[in-house]
Amino acid sequence: MTAVLALIPGLPFAAAVAGLLGSRWPRGRAGRPDPAARRRAAWFAIAPLTGSAVLTLWLAGALSRGTRTSEGFWAALLPGRVAGAYPVIDTGSLPITLSLQADGLSVLTGGLVVVIALAVQVYSVGYMRDDPRYPSYTAFISLFTSAMLLVVYAGDLILLYVGWEVIGLCSYLLIGHWWEDRANSRAAIKAFLVTRLGDVGFLFGIFTLGTAAGSFRIDDVLRAGIPEGTLILGTLLLLAGVAGKSAQVPLQTWLPDAMAGPTPISALIHAATMVAAGIFVIARLYPLFLGAGPTLDALAVIAALGMLGAALAALAQDDLKRVLAYSTISQLAVMAAALAAGSDQAAIFHLLTHGGFKALLFLCAGVVIHHAGSNLLGRMGGLRTALPITFVTMTIGFAALAGLPPASGFFSKDAVLTAIADGRGALRPVLFASALLTAGVTGAYATRAWLRAFFGPARAEPGAGHPPESGGEAPGSMLWPLVALAVPSLLFGFALPAFGGAVHGETAALGQAAALLGIGAVWWAWRRDPEQDPARLLGPLRGVCERGFHVDAVYAALVTRPVLRLAGGVGRADVRVIDRAVRGAGGTVTAVSRLVRLAQTGNAQLYLTGLLAGALLIAVAAVMSG
């Protein structure tokens, strides 16, 4: 069974290698790949991922029939466990074990990863059909998928960190896929630098916990009796990396700009998988975080600020993809709130439902943009008749996002609200109030985007997007993933009892009331004047929210410009001091050499005269000295 476990991340890795090497031949002409190479790249992308999906399903079945070997919720959900230790790397101090492990938590998260990645690869066949770099695009998606699965199934913290860094690299490569546009390359660099900033803390957190436990193996770290101070320090450092990868306060600024990449990448990395890696890591190491109360309090503050602030920012955006990007930041903060309140089950359940419906929303947004030829809601409208399948599936996605029954988001958000209401910490009232306000604002921005895109007068210019195929809808390769993702977005919430939860009448009523208030306010504003943007309800706050509360401007003032000024000063010092000193030393040596060379005339008669004069002086000095 360990071979099956190794194959799950191994197949996408092999697909990445085959895609990068095999699709280079034969080469196309005029910057376009050969059609055979494109078909080969599509097979390299889809077939191995299908194999990983089948193996994940088989592994889940095997674990469900296994014997329970440990305590805890995830062991009760899937009692079996698979662990495989491969070669040990001797570092001279703490060894690194190349080990994989699978339990209920990792199999559920791994299943989400392979399903979303497979949907994105199939969708991209149509969406990227005219892209000359389609083969490398699919190869990087496969590499990303392999790295994300390595994070999920790693049994050693260092091995987990390897996957963690590779997904950051793939994020950079995929955001900057259309690097010819300067905005895309700048967004890729920004995402890379901001997430690397958090990853420095993450790496030192791994070193702190591993050194204290005497091992980097996750099981050993969880069992070790780490002193409380060390535990708090290590988990706080890990939290820095989580904030970077999951785009949480104060490192959230990269995610909205990352929407510059292709829309399928937004669905894969920046909605369902990469940004969920931070939440997964906290859940994987949750016993350590439960033992570090101040760390969970810090997480509660991050969650309270992030969920409401990002929701308000989403309400003010005109770019559909940025609406969904800020929504992702907000929903990840909702998961973080559940973790801070003491419930990893509610957090992971919301992670699973969110991964499905947010990937659905991003892929639907790709079809809408594909048809309208613009990301801007102000240039859309009336698309429900032109895109009927997309309209139905995106309506399901927005219903799940707003938490309306019977969509999956209703059940998972109720689980989170219940976990916060019954949870730990002095910040529980603040978290609960922020979560309720967020539910209201989420309903508002989901309704606004739905109305602006699909209702009202049509504002898209005919032929602005790609040529319509089958009644205006996108190609079948783009529609089938939407239908497939719409099913769990609508029905997966009924799996709540399997996660040890149930709908609680009081919290469900409060959550629904908040969501319906937000929906009603936007509906009322839109009905009064469909030509006007309902975001005007924000009043004077709209500009602030639209610019993400000017966090980028604050960073520019406090970090970017001072660093640039410091770099400029260092550059000037290098030119005016270091270079001048080097040139001055060289000039001094040159001047001295000119004086010395006066004695080296090449005249033998002069040399002999000097030698005799010197000998005479020595003789006179010897006689006079007695």
Side-chain angles (χ1 to χ4, degrees):
M1 198 177 295
T2 56
V4 171
L5 181 57
L7 279 173
I8 293 175
L11 287 175
F13 180 78
V17 175
L20 286 174
L21 299 180
S23 60
R24 290 180 176 272
W25 183 88
R27 293 180 180 273
R29 296 180 179 179
R32 292 180 177 273
D34 186 273
R38 289 180 54 80
R39 287 192 297 271
R40 190 162 54 245
W43 279 108
F44 287 154
I46 294 171
L49 262 179
T50 304
S52 289
V54 171
L55 291 176
T56 301
L57 185 62
W58 182 87
L59 183 61
L63 292 185
S64 68
R65 297 187 299 270
T67 303
R68 185 170 177 177
T69 58
S70 61
E71 298 299 322
F73 171 78
W74 304 112
L77 183 64
L78 287 176
R81 189 173 187 273
V82 178
Y86 302 100
V88 176
I89 300 174
D90 189 2
T91 64
S93 55
L94 297 182
I96 299 171
T97 306
L98 303 182
S99 61
L100 300 176
Q101 65 181 42
D103 55 13
L105 174 61
S106 57
V107 169
L108 285 171
T109 310
L112 173 71
V113 172
V114 294
V115 168
I116 300 301
L118 182 58
V120 166
Q121 290 281 30
V122 173
Y123 181 94
S124 297
V125 172
Y127 191 88
M128 304 291 288
R129 65 183 184 272
D130 297 325
D131 194 290
R133 290 194 293 272
Y134 171 76
S136 62
Y137 163 89
T138 59
F140 290 139
I141 291 179
S142 296
L143 180 60
F144 166 83
T145 306
S146 177
M148 185 66 197
L149 290 171
L150 184 62
V151 170
V152 169
Y153 291 112
D156 188 280
L157 288 175
I158 298 297
L159 191 62
L160 183 151
Y161 184 74
V162 171
W164 183 273
E165 287 301 314
V166 173
I167 61 177
L169 171 64
C170 293
S171 172
Y172 165 76
L173 294 171
L174 290 166
I175 295 170
H177 177 74
W178 292 320
W179 51 264
E180 295 89 348
D181 187 336
R182 184 171 175 81
N184 295 343
S185 60
R186 290 173 66 88
I189 293 171
K190 181 178 181 180
F192 188 80
L193 292 178
V194 173
T195 53
R196 292 293 76 69
L197 182 63
D199 288 352
V200 173
F202 192 81
L203 180 59
F204 279 100
I206 288 174
F207 288 158
T208 300
L209 296 175
T211 302
S215 172
F216 288 119
R217 290 194 57 149
I218 292 176
D219 288 343
D220 294 340
V221 173
L222 293 178
R223 285 195 297 262
I226 301 176
E228 184 179 6
T230 304
L231 192 60
I232 292 172
L233 174 61
T235 51
L236 281 173
L237 288 169
L238 290 181
L239 191 58
V242 169
K245 271 290 188 294
S246 295
Q248 294 299 291
V249 176
L251 301 178
Q252 79 281 10
T253 59
W254 66 269
L255 186 58
D257 291 342
M259 297 302 104
T263 300
I265 297 309
S266 302
L268 173 68
I269 295 180
H270 309 118
T273 51
M274 171 181 163
V275 291
I279 302 299
F280 169 81
V281 166
I282 294 179
R284 167 60 74 202
L285 303 175
Y286 202 51
L288 302 181
F289 284 83
L290 286 176
T295 303
L296 289 183
D297 292 338
L299 183 61
V301 172
I302 290 171
L305 292 173
M307 69 171 83
L308 183 56
L312 290 169
L315 181 57
Q317 303 302 310
D318 191 41
D319 187 317
L320 177 57
K321 289 176 67 175
R322 290 179 73 89
V323 171
L324 298 178
Y326 276 110
S327 170
T328 298
I329 297 172
S330 178
Q331 295 304 304
L332 289 166
V334 170
M335 301 171 207
L339 291 169
S343 177
D344 56 336
Q345 298 100 295
I348 294 299
F349 185 54
H350 191 52
L351 183 151
L352 295 174
T353 62
H354 174 265
F357 68 70
K358 188 54 67 65
L360 171 63
L361 286 170
F362 266 108
L363 295 183
C364 287
V367 176
V368 170
I369 294 166
H370 185 273
H371 182 86
S374 174
N375 290 14
L376 302 180
L377 291 168
R379 297 183 184 176
M380 299 176 188
L383 296 178
R384 69 187 184 279
T385 55
L387 304 172
I389 298 175
T390 304
F391 169 66
V392 172
T393 54
M394 200 167 193
T395 299
I396 293 172
F398 277 131
L401 176 60
L404 299 179
S408 61
F410 165 75
F411 296 93
S412 61
K413 285 191 177 181
D414 178 66
V416 171
L417 285 173
T418 302
I420 296 173
D422 299 337
R424 58 161 297 283
L427 295 172
R428 184 181 59 182
V430 175
L431 263 184
F432 191 75
S434 180
L436 281 180
L437 289 171
T438 300
V441 180
T442 301
Y445 70 70
T447 304
R448 169 182 173 261
W450 182 66
L451 291 172
R452 297 273 285 167
F454 293 107
F455 294 86
R459 290 178 286 268
E461 297 179 6
H466 293 281
E469 306 187 13
S470 72
E473 280 282 14
S477 63
M478 295 172 65
L479 294 180
W480 281 111
L482 305 188
V483 176
L485 290 172
V487 174
S489 298
L490 185 62
L491 301 177
F492 186 73
F494 292 102
L496 177 61
F499 287 81
V503 176
H504 294 75
E506 185 177 347
T507 54
L510 286 172
Q512 284 301 289
L516 291 174
L517 280 173
I519 292 170
V522 168
W523 178 264
W524 172 81
W526 183 80
R527 289 290 295 173
R528 287 189 63 187
D529 188 355
E531 290 289 339
Q532 295 296 317
D533 190 345
R536 66 183 185 277
L537 292 172
L538 289 170
L541 288 177
R542 181 176 181 181
V544 177
C545 295
E546 189 174 12
R547 293 171 179 81
F549 299 93
H550 300 287
V551 175
D552 274 322
V554 172
Y555 282 163
L558 297 181
V559 180
T560 306
R561 284 197 288 271
V563 169
L564 289 176
R565 283 196 293 268
L566 178 61
V570 171
R572 288 190 295 273
D574 182 63
V575 171
R576 298 177 183 177
V577 179
I578 306 299
D579 284 359
R580 185 171 294 177
V582 171
R583 287 194 297 269
T588 302
V589 171
T590 301
V592 171
S593 67
R594 290 195 184 101
L595 294 176
V596 171
R597 67 179 293 193
L598 295 177
Q600 302 294 325
T601 63
N603 188 331
Q605 188 176 14
L606 182 61
Y607 293 163
L608 182 61
T609 302
L611 177 62
L612 293 174
L616 181 61
L617 288 175
I618 292 172
V620 171
V623 172
M624 293 181 64
S625 61

